[in-house]
Amino acid sequence: FPKFLADRGIVPGIKVDKGAKPLAGAEGETVTEGLDGLRERLTAYRDAGALFAKWRAVITIADGLPSEYAIATNAHALARYAALCQEAGITPIVEPEVLMDGANTIEVCEDVTRRVLDATFDQLRLQRVLLEGMVLKPNMVISGKECPQQADVTAVAEATVRTLRRCVPSAVPGIAFLSGGQSDALATQHLDAMNKLGSAPWALTFSYGRALQAPALKAWGGKSGQVEAAQKAFFHRAKLNGLAATGRYSEAMEEAA
């Protein structure tokens, strides 16, 4: 499949982790597995045409969580994966995701995100990962979905950029945010607000799943006659996020589909 994409001018990549599994001795926490045999798999993926890979580590916020144990274990795995990718000539996308599912405030998310990023970059340095040759895919610093006090767009942008400045070396060329369950419009607004702050040492862009796909899926609705409408909805959302990645988005554009 990577070669199929490459032959059509599409930059191919592949998810190489095997998912989050319960972390032994840490109830309610997980570690992402898939390091066994990864060197050989990466060689096969590279020979098939893959140019980048992705590994996602999931961190949960709850009472007493995350533990330093869970943070350190996942950071080590992320860095080991990244080192193996670079050895194979594949660009690693490093994805430490602090989930937004709880009732925590934005202040708690900021503290946890800082701890996770600090641990991740400590391990990346220890394992000799070339920072110029990777992409970071983090969560935004945001209120938990169940929090009664939801931080506004400006607060999210400021807290996210502040945390990144404290933790992410300027050698990292790009930060591609995950949407983490945000609505499509809100994820775009947050990205735009961050870029409007200006003077970041890295490119701030997007690697959204649901926040890109949701409008297209809604327009399509499983109906063959709605394929063109779904394509237009996807194009419009992608265009708005492209503008947000350069700080040129406005909410008025939402009605211009």
Side-chain angles (χ1 to χ4, degrees):
F1 186 65
K3 187 175 186 304
F4 172 87
L5 294 175
D7 289 345
R8 286 153 180 79
I10 302 171
V11 177
I14 191 162
K15 177 180 179 290
V16 297
D17 69 70
K18 294 189 176 180
K21 307 293 183 182
L23 178 60
E27 185 176 353
E29 299 189 282
T30 63
V31 62
T32 301
E33 297 183 349
L35 289 173
D36 289 349
L38 181 57
R39 173 179 277 121
E40 293 74 23
R41 287 189 283 127
L42 287 169
T43 299
Y45 299 148
R46 180 200 63 209
D47 291 345
L51 299 180
F52 64 89
K54 184 176 82 73
W55 182 289
R56 176 177 179 249
V58 179
I59 303 295
T60 299
I61 298 178
D63 290 342
L65 303 182
S67 66
E68 292 302 321
Y69 168 38
I71 291 173
T73 303
N74 278 288
H76 180 274
L78 278 167
R80 184 68 187 136
Y81 138 82
L84 288 167
C85 280
Q86 291 188 346
E87 178 187 79
I90 291 176
T91 299
I93 297 175
V94 176
E95 183 178 359
E97 179 181 3
V98 177
L99 297 175
M100 58 177 286
D101 296 332
N104 57 278
T105 64
I106 188 174
E107 290 81 10
V108 171
C109 182
E110 182 170 0
D111 177 66
V112 172
T113 301
R114 176 189 54 77
R115 290 163 56 199
V116 169
L117 290 175
D118 279 346
T120 299
F121 280 95
D122 282 348
Q123 282 295 321
L124 289 167
R125 292 186 193 93
L126 283 172
Q127 299 191 42
R128 303 177 181 180
V129 173
L130 182 69
L131 299 184
E132 294 90 334
M134 61 163 278
V135 175
L136 179 67
K137 183 177 178 181
N139 56 283
M140 296 179 191
V141 175
I142 195 168
S143 308
K145 286 193 292 188
E146 303 303 319
C147 181
Q149 184 63 43
Q150 290 291 309
D152 63 25
V153 169
T154 299
V156 169
E158 291 177 348
T160 302
V161 172
R162 178 170 61 242
T163 302
L164 294 173
R165 285 187 178 280
R166 289 171 174 170
C167 303
V168 181
S170 59
V172 175
I175 296 175
F177 290 100
L178 55 89
S179 53
Q182 299 177 61
S183 71
D184 48 309
L186 192 57
T188 305
Q189 291 164 20
H190 285 151
L191 178 62
D192 180 70
M194 280 185 258
N195 278 293
K196 280 186 167 67
L197 292 174
S199 69
W202 345 261
L204 298 177
T205 186
F206 63 98
S207 179
Y208 296 161
R210 278 172 287 179
L212 270 177
Q213 298 165 4
L217 291 172
K218 182 179 179 180
W220 173 52
K223 301 175 183 176
S224 59
Q226 292 297 107
V227 170
E228 185 176 350
Q231 291 172 335
K232 287 181 178 178
F234 187 86
F235 176 80
H236 182 64
R237 192 81 251 151
K239 180 180 178 180
L240 295 187
N241 280 303
L243 291 168
T246 56
R248 295 182 293 136
Y249 163 87
S250 72
E251 289 188 52
M253 297 173 180
E254 294 288 346
E255 304 302 323

